[in-house]
Amino acid sequence: MTSSSPTHGNPLDAAAHGTQAESVAADLLALLNGNAPAQAFAARLAALEALPDGMARKPGLIEQARMAMALRNRLDQHEQRERGMLAVIESAQDLSARLDLPELLKAIVIRARDLLRAHLCWLTIYDAAAGEFKVVVADGAIATRTGSMTAKRPLGVAGIVMTTRMPFSTPDYLRDNRFAHDADLDDIFRDEGVSALVGVPLIWNDDVIGLLFVADRYHRTHTALNISILCTLATHAAVAINNAKAFADAQAAVERADQARAELERHARDVQAAVEAHERLTSLLARGASLGELCQSIAQLLQGSVLVLDEAHQVIGRADAPDYAGTAADRYQPYGPHDAALTQALRESRRAGRSVIAYESEGELCRSIAVIGGDGVLGAVLLFRREDLRDSFVRTFERSSSVIGIVLLSQERMEASKSRAVSELLQTLVSPRQGEPALARDRAERFGLDLTRPLVLMLVELDRSEAGFMARRLRDGLALPGLVLDEVDGVLAFVCGAAHAGVLRAGVEDAMRRAAGAAGTAYCGVLSRPAHGAAELPALYAALRRALAVVGRLGMRGRIVAQNEMAVYSILFETQDRASLAQFLDAAIGPLIDHDRRRGTELAATLLAYLDNRQNASLTATRLGIHVNTMRQRLASVGMLIGGAWSETHRALEIHLALRLWSLGEAGAPDGAARD
């Protein structure tokens, strides 16, 4: 009931007219019962104090009004305590019911603001690394910067509360000189209009872990009860923060345990897979699997592309996992753009005995390992994958290289055994003392060579001492029936049926060109005329060795010439060195060659054609496609350059021989360039 209620009529008139004092007491009780506001009691007290001083009952009536006001204040205090207790209970319930820390801190801040009837409330957490308090939740803010405030430890109210661990309040923050001010915070508080401020600590294990603040935009002094309730809420916030941290630590520990368990399980699976891979490779090796089968098995086990290289970085084995779609293995080239990186990686692999990442190509990693066998390097194994292997699978890859090394070493020994047999056969065939013909035929038949049919012999000389290596490569690359080849006295020797002579010549020239493009190999060779039996091979071998020497002296690199082209020159110039041959050519036809080189004419070629056609000018002009008068003019120019007596029989023979040698050298020059 309020003072405007009919039962609460103004008692002053009654008192003035002698009404009894009981009516005033009844009115005050009615105000108390109706939970009237404090202003109603103040109005009654003012009215009683305004009564004439001569009234006998005035002091008693004033005392009754004051007692009613005191009772009203105590009821307000009890109500405030009750609200505080309810807020504390609700906060305690939130601690057990909510797991989300930001949500819980937000609830505490809202309750603190509501309970203390404050304009603004915020909570900060101490960042020990930065040495400052950072706002994590705020309620009632107007300025946008309030929610991101930071307070340095020695400044402002935060510094006092942090140091004393006690609550601190100020009715006028901006004018309070009891602490050092932070200019940034002062600017924010001016924007917010903050005047009164109370801060209490969040304490856990004797450490201040945060602060809880309430602020008002007018001068205000908070009661001890308000500060006590705020401290209790701060304690709840500290418990919540610690619980959240403990829960996060426990959750992290559980996650670490799960990760450790998953890692242990994965490691166990990897170990089991490695054991199975080792058993599989060992089984393949035991039953004599080929290099291709091993490569396929390794590619499937490691889910990538596998290349096996020989010692010259040439691919001798290749396999891809069924579901692997990489292309780096297809792009691999011996002595290609990644050769330097691969060479360095294989050098490191050989030194450390482990595999090494060699290079990356368009998102694919190339892991490489050198394959060691006996006292030297047999080759290398390359694995291409989108991502690198885990440690256990790296061990599997490295074990697989050992298995491949065993296979390559076995192949090398088989090849060496076969090479010895081939070498013995070739030595027998080209030796002047061939021994028993029947024994030679038996040996040749093992390699599919029929000595009763026409044969050809071919010798190829390499610039570098790599005839043995090239012999191994050509044995793998040339698929001719009945072909035997090996190194004999430092050169490559080939024997096969005369019917395959053209294919042999073309195949060797192609292989040499590819080798030259990769490693700079240069060569020259001579192919014999057909021999009607093995008995003719020793003489052919001797003739080809003489021809090969002349071919080399002429500088005819990158070409295999026929024996018939070199027969007479081999006999005439086998004892001459290259300088002597050059001297002979210069003396015989030097002016002619110099004139053609300077003027771009073809006098040397014209003279050679003329001599080849028995010095018949008309026939030569017809075959060269020129007029006979042009032919005679060219011959006149020849006479002026090398002398008019060149057509005499002995001089013509010498010039003809020189021109034939010159033409052979020109045919062997790269891109048709003239030789010196």
Side-chain angles (χ1 to χ4, degrees):
M1 296 177 63
T2 65
S3 59
S4 62
S5 173
T7 60
H8 297 162
N10 193 333
L12 300 180
D13 294 336
H17 296 85
T19 304
Q20 296 181 350
E22 288 78 2
S23 62
V24 175
D27 181 64
L28 293 173
L29 288 173
L31 291 176
L32 289 171
N33 184 60
N35 197 24
Q39 291 86 346
F41 290 91
R44 297 296 186 275
L45 179 61
L48 291 172
E49 288 177 344
L51 290 173
D53 293 336
M55 289 187 61
R57 293 182 178 274
K58 178 179 177 180
L61 295 174
I62 291 174
E63 184 63 24
Q64 286 182 5
R66 288 176 176 171
M67 290 175 62
M69 289 183 68
L71 181 59
R72 175 68 178 82
N73 290 335
R74 283 196 295 272
L75 289 174
D76 284 344
Q77 291 176 358
H78 283 300
E79 183 180 355
Q80 188 176 7
R81 288 192 183 96
E82 183 180 353
R83 290 201 313 271
M85 291 301 298
L86 288 174
V88 170
I89 292 171
E90 289 174 355
S91 297
Q93 290 174 340
D94 283 340
L95 284 174
S96 60
R98 300 191 186 188
L99 295 177
D100 184 75
L101 179 62
E103 182 182 347
L104 180 56
L105 296 181
K106 181 70 174 178
I108 290 175
V109 165
I110 291 174
R111 286 196 185 95
R113 180 190 173 207
D114 181 64
L115 187 62
L116 273 65
R117 300 290 194 269
H119 291 145
L120 177 63
C121 183
W122 68 91
L123 187 146
T124 66
I125 292 180
Y126 184 60
D127 184 348
E132 62 186 16
F133 292 91
K134 296 180 178 179
V135 174
V136 293
V137 60
D139 186 58
I142 297 175
T144 57
R145 294 190 295 165
T146 303
S148 59
M149 288 188 298
T150 59
K152 298 295 182 181
R153 177 172 177 172
L155 301 177
V157 172
I160 295 177
V161 176
M162 184 77 174
T163 303
T164 63
R165 303 171 187 267
M166 298 291 291
F168 182 86
S169 64
T170 172
D172 190 355
Y173 177 90
L174 294 174
R175 292 182 177 83
D176 198 326
N177 296 322
R178 290 177 293 172
F179 50 83
H181 282 257
D182 184 321
D184 291 336
L185 283 180
D186 287 357
D187 288 341
I188 294 174
F189 287 167
R190 288 189 188 94
D191 292 342
E192 283 285 355
V194 169
S195 180
L197 180 70
V198 178
V200 297
L202 279 64
I203 299 177
W204 186 262
N205 289 338
D206 294 331
D207 292 326
V208 177
I209 63 173
L211 301 172
L212 180 62
F213 291 95
V214 291
D216 292 281
R217 297 184 177 91
Y218 64 94
H219 289 202
R220 178 181 179 185
T221 301
H222 285 276
T223 64
L225 176 61
N226 287 351
I227 295 176
S228 176
I229 293 173
L230 195 62
C231 288
T232 303
L233 293 176
T235 300
H236 286 181
V239 172
I241 293 171
N242 185 73
N243 287 348
K245 182 178 181 301
F247 179 76
D249 292 343
Q251 187 68 24
V254 171
E255 290 177 358
R256 287 194 298 271
D258 288 342
Q259 291 174 356
R261 177 182 55 78
E263 182 64 26
L264 185 60
E265 291 176 353
R266 187 179 68 177
H267 181 69
R269 289 193 300 270
D270 289 350
V271 170
Q272 182 63 30
V275 171
E276 293 175 356
H278 183 69
E279 291 177 351
R280 182 175 177 181
L281 293 174
T282 304
S283 175
L284 288 171
L285 184 63
R287 67 178 178 83
S290 66
L291 181 61
E293 290 176 311
L294 285 173
C295 289
Q296 190 62 52
S297 179
I298 295 167
Q300 289 178 351
L301 286 170
L302 302 179
Q303 290 299 297
S305 294
V306 173
L307 294 182
V308 179
L309 312 181
D310 62 13
E311 60 266 42
H313 293 189
Q314 300 293 325
V315 178
I316 57 175
R318 163 76 189 271
D320 300 303
D323 299 329
Y324 187 68
T327 59
D330 296 326
R331 294 192 302 272
Y332 170 79
Q333 295 178 355
Y335 309 102
H338 301 292
D339 181 66
L342 179 59
T343 301
Q344 177 62 32
L346 292 177
R347 187 181 298 116
E348 176 65 20
S349 170
R350 186 178 181 185
R351 184 191 64 79
R354 300 292 305 276
S355 62
V356 179
I357 296 294
Y359 62 87
E360 181 180 356
S361 175
E362 296 185 13
E364 290 183 79
L365 293 174
C366 173
R367 178 172 284 275
S368 62
I369 185 168
V371 179
I372 310 298
D375 297 329
V377 177
L378 299 176
V381 184
L382 309 184
L383 174 67
F384 295 90
R385 279 173 52 92
R386 293 289 181 190
E387 57 185 20
D388 198 13
L389 297 169
R390 296 197 296 270
D391 288 344
S392 59
F393 288 99
V394 170
R395 301 294 188 274
T396 298
F397 174 62
E398 292 168 351
R399 291 190 191 99
S400 71
S401 71
S402 300
V403 174
I404 288 177
I406 294 172
V407 173
L408 293 180
L409 190 59
S410 175
Q411 290 180 349
E412 187 179 77
R413 289 176 177 173
M414 292 175 62
E415 180 68 24
S417 177
K418 181 179 179 181
S419 177
R420 283 194 299 271
V422 171
S423 180
E424 290 173 0
L425 174 61
L426 283 174
Q427 291 285 357
T428 299
L429 293 177
V430 302
S431 173
R433 296 188 297 273
Q434 288 186 337
E436 180 61 38
L439 180 60
R441 283 197 302 272
D442 291 342
R443 288 181 177 178
E445 286 175 358
R446 297 176 194 172
F447 301 102
L449 179 63
D450 187 357
L451 296 182
T452 64
R453 301 178 68 85
L455 305 170
V456 290
L457 172 66
M458 187 170 72
L459 301 183
V460 175
E461 184 179 45
L462 306 178
D463 277 1
R464 297 187 296 178
S465 57
E466 52 186 12
F469 169 71
M470 286 301 300
R472 292 195 299 273
R473 288 190 57 187
L474 290 170
R475 267 194 292 269
D476 295 333
L478 296 175
L480 285 178
L483 172 66
V484 292
L485 67 101
D486 197 28
E487 177 187 1
V488 177
D489 298 333
V491 299
L492 289 175
F494 305 78
V495 175
C496 71
H500 304 299
V503 178
L504 172 64
R505 182 176 181 174
V508 172
E509 287 182 334
D510 181 64
M512 290 299 176
R513 276 194 299 270
R514 284 187 277 109
T521 301
Y523 72 98
C524 61
V526 182
L527 177 66
S528 77
R529 60 179 176 268
H532 297 290
E536 297 182 16
L537 291 179
L540 279 178
Y541 177 74
L544 294 187
R545 291 299 299 231
R546 290 194 299 269
L548 197 60
V550 175
V551 168
R553 293 186 188 110
L554 287 172
M556 298 166 58
R557 291 292 183 244
R559 184 182 176 203
I560 297 175
V561 299
Q563 179 188 9
N564 290 339
E565 298 179 66
M566 299 297 300
V568 64
Y569 312 110
S570 301
I571 296 172
L572 293 175
F573 299 107
E574 64 177 324
T575 60
Q576 304 295 320
D577 57 18
R578 185 170 184 176
S580 300
L581 285 174
Q583 210 169 33
F584 166 72
L585 293 176
D586 185 62
I589 58 174
L592 214 56
I593 303 303
D594 290 341
H595 183 274
D596 284 347
R597 185 179 296 116
R598 290 195 311 271
R599 303 288 183 87
T601 56
E602 297 181 355
L603 296 181
T606 301
L607 181 57
L608 176 59
Y610 178 69
L611 294 173
D612 284 343
N613 288 298
R614 300 178 183 180
Q615 301 188 21
N616 187 325
S618 298
L619 178 61
T620 303
T622 300
R623 291 185 175 177
L624 292 178
I626 60 177
H627 195 274
V628 66
N629 291 335
T630 304
M631 182 67 196
R632 291 193 179 96
Q633 290 174 3
R634 290 186 181 182
L635 292 177
S637 299
V638 168
M640 293 176 61
L641 289 170
I642 60 176
W646 67 266
S647 59
E648 295 180 3
T649 303
H650 69 282
R651 181 80 191 281
L653 176 61
E654 180 180 324
I655 292 173
H656 196 180
L657 187 62
L659 287 170
R660 295 289 292 173
L661 280 173
W662 166 79
S663 67
L664 289 173
E666 284 294 294
D671 299 327
R675 300 254 182 203
D676 291 336

